[in-house]
Amino acid sequence: MSKLKETLLEKIEGWRPRTTRLLKEYGDVKVSDVTITQAIGGARGVKCLVTDISYLDPFEGIRFRGHTIPETLAALPKVPGHEMPYVEGFLYLLLTGDKPTEEQTAEVIAEFKKRKKVPDYVFDVIRALPADSHPMAMFSNAILAMEKESIFAKKYKEGISKMDYWDSTYEDALNLLAKLPTIAAYIYRLKYKNGDIIPSDPNLDFGGDFAHMMGIDKPYDDVSRLYFILHSDHESGNVSAHTGHLVASALSDVYYAISAMLGGLAGPLHGLANEMVLRWIQGVMDKMGGKTPDEEEMKKFVWDTLNSGQVIPGYGHAVLRKTDPRYAAQREFCLKHLPDDPIFKYVDILYKVTPDILKEHGKAKNPWPNVDAQSGVIQWFYGLTEYDFYTVLFGIGRSLGILSNIIWDRALGYPIERPKSLTTAMLEEAAGIK
Ligand code: HAX
């Protein structure tokens, strides 16, 4: 058994009594009430999910296993000669809650290297799809095609104890994660680079090999590491995380769960917003004939979008009530590496004018930018200008968090998810309306 798995088993055995005790002795304690607004309004703010992998405070932003983004980036072992930490070490932190040593990180890197070969039939499936399929549809199909590899599904058919569900789920999760960079880069090169595929380099880490297979030079390896870490987890209620959890709660294996969560991530109100931001900015650039707008000109573009009944992509959030620290981390990266980039200048002017406009507009509860407002500009700067692909990058990162959660869901025996519905007439009755 790998050291990571041994440590995880120890943590799981230590954690199980806490969940059991809460259920047995305190199961009736109330943690949330539900109003009609929440029942109709997408369960916003209803506290009915449990995760220890990350927590999202509306004003502070995300903490991964208790650590803010700057703390996380500072605490993890770095790739020698690079600014950013190994994604593999970050996965160790998500899974165990412990900051990994160099040695523990190296072990996860070795685990991924063992597991990263993608079966040939996956590439056949991708190539069989229409060439103009969205890359997210290709990514989701490719993952679903691998369902037959699931060790959990096989063991479940053979008959295993509930206490052991997490073990084969862990194997599935690592097998799948290790393959995601190769599958994603294959889609990119097939779709946008005439099928000129760059094979994986067995010596490189997760982020390094991804950049290599994409065919993009340094520091794109560090950009990828940062991107995957920032997009990994945002507690459990967002559409992608919730979908992954929901599907897996039926004991569907992780191939089904990750393929499904990508469908949710592909929506323009969620992960597709990074593509929409670049689309929106390109539209403004075309209208400006390439010139950078001043603040007054930019205000007009923002108002035009709002007045035509559309949202400003990259702004607003269901939970956050301040600038997303994932936006701030990427802005810091931009200020250091691409301060004079024309698209960054657009993003910066947008940041200056949009919050006040959204406040005046009076609808959005959070007028501040989210992660997606800043992520595309970095990709574009390093040559990834095919913005249809941006959400695939998000999907790789988000898989780290969702798979960590699914392993723990299984370890703690969380049941199949099944909230209760009401009819409109029942709501009217509850409201005292005749
Ligand atoms: N521009 C214009 N209007 C906005 C807005 C924005 N950026 N954000 C919210 N609103 C509007 C909503 O559409 C809603 O209008 P109606 O009352 O007419 O339905 C109203 O303000 C209240 O919405 P809210 O309660 O503030 O926000 P929600 O929790 O319902 O939705 C969203 C949160 C992120 C979906 C929303 O802010 C939005 O559509 N933003 C733009 C798209 C975007 O950036 N999505 C990515 C979010 C981060 C993420 O998940 N990344 O993956």
Side-chain angles (χ1 to χ4, degrees):
M1 195 190 279
S2 73
K3 291 261 167 50
L4 168 59
K5 204 166 166 187
E6 259 175 44
T7 311
L8 193 52
L9 175 58
E10 229 172 77
K11 301 270 172 190
I12 289 168
E13 284 175 341
W15 208 278
R16 277 176 174 155
R18 296 174 65 185
T19 305
T20 308
R21 181 169 185 219
L22 282 168
L23 279 170
K24 272 206 171 135
E25 297 175 32
Y26 303 97
D28 290 334
V29 173
K30 213 184 234 191
V31 290
S32 209
D33 288 316
V34 183
T35 63
I36 288 178
T37 301
Q38 289 169 315
I40 295 176
R44 208 72 86 259
V46 178
K47 294 173 191 145
C48 61
L49 296 166
V50 185
T51 177
D52 298 291
I53 309 289
S54 69
Y55 182 75
L56 179 60
D57 179 87
F59 296 98
E60 190 194 50
I62 193 68
R63 277 184 184 263
F64 303 118
R65 288 288 189 177
H67 308 290
T68 62
I69 289 170
E71 285 165 6
T72 303
L73 296 179
L76 296 172
K78 301 249 179 350
V79 183
H82 291 72
E83 269 178 67
M84 294 300 158
Y86 286 105
V87 172
E88 290 89 336
F90 179 65
L91 177 67
Y92 189 102
L93 172 74
L94 289 186
L95 281 172
T96 65
D98 294 342
K99 293 177 198 166
T101 61
E102 302 270 350
E103 199 189 326
Q104 287 162 334
T105 304
E107 202 208 33
V108 187
I109 295 170
E111 280 287 322
F112 272 14
K113 285 181 182 168
K114 271 197 310 210
R115 298 166 189 254
K116 73 177 170 184
K117 176 146 180 29
V118 177
D120 284 343
Y121 68 81
V122 175
F123 303 126
D124 296 341
V125 167
I126 297 170
R127 279 196 306 267
L129 292 166
D132 60 350
S133 301
H134 194 280
M136 282 297 273
M138 290 179 155
F139 199 32
S140 179
N141 265 286
I143 290 166
L144 192 58
M146 282 193 292
E147 192 281 328
K148 76 187 194 69
E149 310 292 337
S150 171
I151 299 170
F152 173 80
K154 219 169 287 157
K155 295 256 182 204
Y156 190 83
K157 270 184 221 146
E158 287 165 15
I160 42 168
S161 157
K162 211 174 169 177
M163 299 298 272
D164 296 330
Y165 286 174
W166 75 271
D167 187 312
S168 44
T169 301
Y170 167 95
E171 296 299 332
D172 278 354
L174 263 71
N175 283 340
L176 177 55
L177 274 175
K179 293 174 179 58
L180 294 182
T182 308
I183 298 171
Y186 184 92
I187 293 169
Y188 177 73
R189 302 287 306 183
L190 179 73
K191 211 171 152 57
Y192 307 108
K193 301 289 168 190
N194 301 316
D196 178 13
I197 306 301
I198 303 173
S200 159
D201 179 339
N203 299 315
L204 292 173
D205 65 292
F206 194 90
D209 200 20
F210 178 69
H212 158 74
M213 290 184 285
M214 291 290 286
I216 307 179
D217 291 339
K218 287 178 189 304
Y220 191 69
D221 51 351
D222 255 354
V223 169
S224 303
R225 293 180 190 108
L226 175 68
Y227 198 97
F228 297 149
I229 291 171
L230 290 183
H231 289 79
S232 61
D233 210 41
H234 221 220
E235 66 171 44
S236 291
N238 64 80
V239 170
S240 53
H242 192 197
T243 306
H245 167 81
L246 175 67
V247 172
S249 83
L251 296 186
S252 302
D253 59 61
V254 303
Y255 297 91
Y256 283 123
I258 294 299
S259 172
M261 80 84 179
L262 289 170
L265 193 66
L269 295 187
H270 190 18
L272 202 79
N274 53 18
E275 171 181 331
M276 301 312 283
V277 169
L278 254 286
R279 243 177 230 289
W280 191 89
I281 288 177
Q282 290 291 320
V284 175
M285 280 181 135
D286 287 349
K287 283 179 198 141
M288 290 297 298
K291 183 176 140 297
T292 308
D294 59 28
E295 289 187 22
E296 288 312 307
E297 285 166 324
M298 188 62 99
K299 279 182 190 169
K300 187 178 170 322
F301 288 115
V302 173
W303 273 116
D304 284 352
T305 299
L306 290 172
N307 291 337
S308 65
Q310 298 172 62
V311 296
I312 305 300
Y315 281 77
H317 201 273
V319 177
L320 279 167
R321 292 295 176 260
K322 64 160 252 182
T323 295
D324 190 336
R326 300 171 300 173
Y327 176 97
Q330 294 183 99
R331 182 178 149 79
E332 204 178 297
F333 186 95
C334 289
L335 286 169
K336 184 164 175 199
H337 294 278
L338 45 132
D340 299 323
D341 178 68
I343 301 186
F344 177 57
K345 286 196 174 137
Y346 268 64
V347 168
D348 220 33
I349 298 170
L350 256 182
Y351 188 31
K352 287 192 183 116
V353 305
T354 305
D356 281 345
I357 295 178
L358 284 176
K359 282 181 207 162
E360 192 182 332
H361 185 242
K363 274 192 169 184
K365 293 188 189 69
N366 177 38
W368 303 104
N370 60 58
V371 64
D372 296 308
Q374 186 68 255
S375 56
V377 59
I378 303 180
Q379 298 296 330
W380 185 283
F381 181 79
Y382 289 107
L384 209 167
T385 53
E386 299 85 356
Y387 41 71
D388 288 16
F389 191 75
Y390 292 172
T391 314
V392 173
L393 306 171
F394 196 152
I396 301 174
R398 186 48 53 98
S399 299
L400 292 160
I402 295 179
L403 288 167
S404 302
N405 271 287
I406 294 174
I407 294 168
W408 272 95
D409 292 348
R410 296 263 159 97
L412 299 177
Y414 289 170
I416 187 165
E417 195 179 310
R418 202 340 181 159
K420 182 76 187 80
S421 310
L422 296 165
T423 63
T424 306
M426 287 170 184
L427 293 183
E428 286 166 344
E429 196 186 322
I433 301 170
K434 280 267 166 190

